[in-house]
Amino acid sequence: MAPPAAGRPSASAAPEPPLREAAKRRRAPACAGAGARILSLGVRGAVMVAALVLFLLFAAAAVILMLALLVAARGFRQQGRRRHRASPDSSTPPPPPAVGLPSAKIRLLPSFVPCPCDGGGDGSSSSPRICPVCLDAARAGERWRALPACGHAFHAACVDRWLLLSPGCPVCRATVSVPVS
Ligand SMILES: [Zn+2]
Ligand SMILES: [Zn+2]
């Protein structure tokens, strides 16, 4: 606010002869001060309006976001309801997602019927063959399956059930690869 401060001393020296110039000097700073004040008021107003607009924009964005979230949540709920209705029998839970091997591929895995005289399967008949899934010993006539990836052997029924849920060997987690015949 330098102009009004500079203008006042000139106003005190007003009674000097060139009145018009003095008046001009008096008025010019006063006008400049008023202009600056109006300008500053305008700037303040503009800043306030800008802040208000920004605030409103943020509020609108927040409201839109909330609405979008609500709509998405409703959509998910409706989808869930539709899925629930789509299931043939609502009393039985829907089947778990198939992340294991398809049964058609499991059937292609090599199977064998171990000989009762065959103990560990490697010629040493000291200990009977044990299924790692059910911990039951091999009995005559049972069908077994050996996984081609790692050679681990199980009851066919035990490992088939396992492989429907998980594509890895129950013992060493080796990925079971179906032989292409
Ligand atoms: Zn078993
Ligand atoms: Zn294995």
Side-chain angles (χ1 to χ4, degrees):
M1 293 299 167
R8 268 163 208 160
S10 76
S12 68
E16 278 176 17
L19 280 170
R20 281 186 184 175
E21 289 214 356
K24 268 187 192 170
R25 269 184 214 161
R26 228 185 283 161
R27 266 180 206 168
C31 283
R37 256 178 244 155
I38 288 165
L39 198 70
S40 70
L41 276 176
V43 167
R44 266 185 222 163
V47 166
M48 281 180 75
V49 165
L52 198 68
V53 165
L54 272 176
F55 174 77
L56 285 175
L57 274 175
F58 273 116
V63 166
I64 288 169
L65 202 68
M66 291 269 288
L67 282 175
L69 281 174
L70 272 175
V71 168
R74 259 186 216 172
F76 275 125
R77 265 185 228 152
Q78 280 177 357
Q79 266 187 5
R81 272 181 212 156
R82 269 179 217 151
R83 266 182 215 155
H84 199 69
R85 277 178 204 158
S87 61
D89 192 356
S90 59
S91 62
T92 55
V99 291
L101 294 175
S103 52
K105 278 192 174 180
I106 293 171
R107 261 180 257 129
L108 292 176
L109 290 170
S111 65
F112 60 94
V113 178
C115 172
C117 59
D118 166 30
D122 50 1
S124 63
S125 55
S126 55
S127 61
R129 189 190 280 272
I130 301 286
C131 170
V133 174
C134 65
L135 301 178
D136 220 354
R139 284 178 204 144
E142 281 174 339
R143 211 158 58 87
W144 280 58
R145 227 186 260 296
L147 300 182
C150 55
H152 285 126
F154 314 86
H155 286 123
C158 292
V159 80
D160 286 7
R161 253 182 286 146
W162 173 275
L163 289 176
L164 282 172
L165 302 172
S166 164
C169 168
V171 174
C172 66
R173 301 272 166 189
T175 305
V176 174
S177 53
V178 179
V180 180
S181 55

